[in-house]
Amino acid sequence: MMLLARFCTAALLTLLVLSDAAAQRLPRSELENELQRIFTDSGARGMVVTIVHNHVGTVRGYGETRPGSGRKPDGLSLLRINSTSKLFVADLLGTFVSDGRLDLDEPLQRYAPAGRQVPTAITLGQLATHTSGLPRSADLKGLDPSPEKARWLWLERQTNLPVPGRSARYSNVAFDLLADAIGNKLGTPYAQLLAQRVTGPLRMIDTTATPTEAQCARLMDAGGAATSLPCNDQLPGIGAGGLYSTANDIGLWMQSQLAADRRAHAVQVRRNDLTSVEGLDVAGPIDGIGLAWLHQAADENHPALIQKTGGGGGFMSYIVLVPDADLGIFIAMTRVDGEVMKTMTRQVNDLAGMLAR
């Protein structure tokens, strides 16, 4: 698998100004019409959008942060980003691969806790590309009070896993194991490494799995039957989907990703080389898999793009990058609905096509 290179400097980040004035760099009326349509069609209580284009960013909010608040979501509204968290595991993995401290072809067994056995020859790269053969989730009930210890014990007991690398199926447990493995290798918990190498340098002050009371007070919520899960510590599942963040923070991170060496998002596995693909076509048919990123080929309406969805706990989110157009779009809303997700992602892909012209 290809080694990665990633760079980001403070100078690059100063070019990002998260303000509504940045929309002057975009086709304002057409953009507003498209975003309003996405919000209206979603039926969500609230929605927030970050667009980064040519080093300039804008954040827009729609609806309410919570029922009766009368306040539009903004760049500081706290969100559950769910499976978008996987992109941060991949970002950190790529950083350490570039540094020569990790290798995508290394076996997971090398970084298993003492005494635990990995039943198949799974590599770090296969965990990051959903080709490990592991299922979507793991039943950890009754195994161990510690979620980390429980998932490694669960893994050891899986005796009938598919051969890694032949097919792709979406796996949450793979990314929690990958986060554990990175921490085991470096001798520092994954959450601390993420803060030291990614969120800290980028000043992503609200991106965390352990929000404070003040941060929780800014959590968006649809209320009623669609209310968000309680705002609490999500550290045990930080790799698969435990991060909270804001539109401002994601804007900073998208800027860093767009400034990265193009190899940082390279396709690692081609769809045509796999026997099957399961659970990865939510936002449209993919043609390749990177490290957590999913690749969609260009067509008559869209440029080539890379994307990732997230959903759960009262939120749905979607992130799209079009590196060739220096464009990134992130959208989050307070609703969880599979059909709405499909519609929303299609609409955002169309928007990416419009802005990338």
Side-chain angles (χ1 to χ4, degrees):
M1 290 185 175
M2 181 181 294
L3 290 178
L4 306 182
R6 177 183 181 274
F7 71 88
C8 179
T9 67
L12 285 169
L13 290 176
T14 59
L15 296 176
L16 177 63
V17 180
L18 290 171
S19 70
D20 194 63
Q24 295 173 7
R25 297 283 299 275
L26 305 172
R28 191 178 191 120
S29 61
E30 191 174 359
L31 172 64
E32 181 58 34
N33 289 340
E34 290 299 314
L35 293 176
Q36 184 62 56
R37 181 167 67 91
I38 292 171
F39 175 61
T40 300
D41 290 350
S42 75
R45 170 72 65 174
M47 183 180 88
V48 63
V49 182
T50 304
I51 299 175
V52 176
H53 196 202
N54 296 328
H55 308 302
V56 181
T58 182
V59 174
R60 291 172 175 268
Y62 299 83
E64 293 182 294
T65 56
R66 58 185 59 237
S69 70
R71 179 174 178 175
K72 284 186 177 182
D74 58 26
L76 295 176
S77 298
L78 195 69
L79 319 161
R80 290 177 178 272
I81 64 171
N82 299 299
S83 284
T84 302
S85 303
K86 294 178 176 65
L87 298 177
F88 288 86
V89 182
D91 191 3
L92 197 59
L93 174 63
T95 296
F96 290 127
V97 169
S98 180
D99 289 349
R101 302 174 75 182
L102 288 171
D103 189 308
L104 297 180
D105 293 324
E106 287 182 288
L108 178 61
Q109 179 64 60
R110 189 170 296 174
Y111 305 120
R116 296 273 75 93
Q117 294 296 313
V118 178
T120 59
I122 299 169
T123 67
L124 301 186
Q126 287 164 344
L127 290 173
T129 57
H130 298 285
T131 58
S132 65
L134 295 177
R136 188 179 188 92
S137 59
D139 183 359
L140 307 183
K141 292 178 183 177
L143 294 181
D144 194 285
S146 163
E148 180 176 350
K149 292 180 179 178
R151 57 179 163 255
W152 286 91
L153 179 57
W154 168 88
L155 177 61
E156 187 174 70
R157 296 181 178 183
Q158 305 311 298
T159 59
N160 194 31
L161 292 172
V163 175
R166 293 185 180 177
S167 62
R169 60 174 174 175
Y170 192 86
S171 178
N172 289 312
V173 65
F175 277 82
D176 280 329
L177 289 166
L178 181 55
D180 292 344
I182 293 172
N184 293 344
K185 162 65 176 178
L186 279 300
T188 303
Y190 167 78
Q192 292 182 34
L193 291 171
L194 184 67
Q196 292 168 6
R197 297 299 297 265
V198 180
T199 59
L202 295 179
R203 299 186 181 92
M204 297 173 65
I205 58 175
D206 287 315
T207 302
T208 178
T210 55
T212 65
E213 184 176 346
Q215 288 171 321
C216 286
R218 293 186 268 122
L219 183 70
M220 291 173 60
D221 192 344
T227 191
S228 174
L229 291 177
C231 185
N232 53 21
D233 186 333
Q234 296 295 312
L235 199 58
I238 186 174
L243 286 177
Y244 297 82
S245 192
T246 62
N248 278 4
D249 275 12
I250 297 298
L252 292 169
W253 186 73
M254 287 195 297
Q255 174 74 350
S256 78
Q257 294 296 297
L258 290 168
D261 187 301
R262 294 297 176 86
R263 290 176 293 172
H265 307 121
V267 172
Q268 302 291 327
V269 181
R270 294 285 178 188
R271 186 181 193 126
N272 289 342
D273 295 330
L274 297 168
T275 59
S276 63
V277 174
E278 178 183 336
L280 276 69
D281 293 322
V282 175
I286 65 166
D287 70 319
I289 308 170
L291 300 184
W293 288 103
L294 303 177
H295 289 245
Q296 290 181 231
D299 59 28
E300 60 184 13
N301 297 316
H302 312 105
L305 55 83
I306 58 176
Q307 47 85 359
K308 183 70 188 75
T309 57
F315 289 89
M316 293 191 303
S317 60
Y318 186 49
I319 186 168
V320 172
L321 296 184
V322 186
D324 289 342
D326 195 24
L327 171 67
I329 304 173
F330 171 75
I331 186 167
M333 58 181 59
T334 49
R335 183 170 182 182
V336 180
D337 183 293
E339 290 305 311
V340 173
M341 172 72 87
K342 290 178 182 178
T343 299
M344 179 265 281
T345 55
R346 176 179 52 78
Q347 291 172 325
V348 173
N349 290 348
D350 289 345
L351 177 61
M354 180 186 78
L355 296 178
R357 291 173 189 159

